[in-house]
Amino acid sequence: MSDIETANYVLTPLSGDDRADLLAHLGDAQTVEHMDIEPLSDAAGADAIIAWAMRLAGSGDGVRWAIRDRAGAFVGTMGFNTLVRERGSRGEIAYDVVRPRWRQRVMAEVLPAVLGHGFGTLGLRRIEAMVTPGNAASAALLERHGFVREAVLRDYAFWKGRYWDQWLYARLAP
Ligand SMILES: CC(C)(COP(=O)(O)OP(=O)(O)OC[C@H]1O[C@@H](n2cnc3c(N)ncnc32)[C@H](O)[C@@H]1OP(=O)(O)O)[C@@H](O)C(=O)NCCC(=O)NCCS
């Protein structure tokens, strides 16, 4: 999967080089509050995510990029958790920005580029996102970018010891 560049950010597939930054980022309890993981507590947790991301990229069924600014600072991750090409053409995006950079328009710049990649280079018809109810920032971001909340998927996922509903958001190709 190719790199993506915007005016201020570069997205490259997550690798071992991102280990320390990923640990600091996803070790933050507030950042992972609405995500499907506990805060990372050690390097093994970061390594497991990097190994998952590298397997995903290798399979061609998805990708997770590290997002860095032009000075090289790590500002978050973004990617396609799934890519479906049989009997449909769709992908599911996921994203997280380091907390000191929240509300500084990182996603406002990166999300359109990733959507352009999905609808353009990857030729997707439909891009989806799953949001945990209560994640107002993520829901507002998606709605601002033309996603429609299509459904509440009841008890759709299990993590942190319980089942969670998920809001299914989707946007169709222009
Ligand atoms: C959701 C998240 C990625 C938003 O990224 P961001 O770079 O801070 O967002 P931006 O600054 O680019 O904001 C873009 C738009 O998103 C919406 N938005 C972002 N944060 C918001 C907040 N806290 N409350 C309400 N709307 C918000 C707004 O519509 C905003 O546009 P506006 O500023 O013109 O009103 C970030 O809050 C985050 O990483 N949260 C923790 C991880 C997470 O929950 N990921 C999503 C899992 S589904």
Side-chain angles (χ1 to χ4, degrees):
M1 193 77 63
S2 53
D3 293 358
I4 294 179
E5 293 197 21
T6 68
N8 294 298
Y9 303 105
V10 180
L11 282 67
T12 51
L14 210 58
S15 77
D17 296 344
D18 302 307
R19 185 190 205 206
D21 291 319
L22 194 67
L23 175 57
H25 169 43
L26 297 181
D28 183 306
Q30 265 181 270
T31 298
V32 304
E33 179 185 0
H34 299 291
M35 294 170 62
D36 60 353
I37 53 169
E38 300 282 0
L40 299 186
S41 55
D42 55 28
D47 285 341
I49 291 174
I50 290 165
W52 164 80
M54 293 178 78
R55 274 198 309 277
L56 188 66
S59 72
D61 294 333
V63 64
R64 193 73 171 211
W65 293 285
I67 309 169
R68 290 187 181 274
D69 66 18
R70 293 283 173 181
F74 180 93
V75 298
T77 83
M78 167 133 211
F80 286 95
N81 280 355
T82 59
L83 286 170
V84 174
R85 296 193 179 86
E86 285 182 30
R87 302 176 71 216
S89 182
R90 62 182 185 272
E92 181 196 326
I93 51 166
Y95 41 79
D96 40 76
V97 170
V98 297
R99 192 151 58 86
R101 302 278 191 124
W102 285 4
R103 299 280 349 219
Q104 292 178 26
R105 307 198 64 76
V106 173
M107 271 302 130
E109 180 170 328
V110 169
L111 177 58
V114 170
L115 296 179
H117 181 77
F119 290 131
T121 311
L122 300 179
L124 302 177
R125 172 68 185 152
R126 173 182 164 92
I127 295 180
E128 301 177 338
M130 298 286 182
V131 177
T132 303
N135 192 347
S138 186
L141 170 73
L142 292 167
E143 287 168 17
R144 169 74 58 132
H145 289 272
F147 281 73
V148 173
R149 190 192 299 172
E150 297 182 339
V152 180
L153 305 176
R154 296 173 301 152
D155 281 358
Y156 189 72
F158 187 92
W159 64 71
K160 297 175 186 165
R162 54 163 280 202
Y163 281 98
W164 298 83
D165 293 352
Q166 292 288 275
W167 285 332
L168 170 62
Y169 276 91
R171 182 175 151 174
L172 300 184

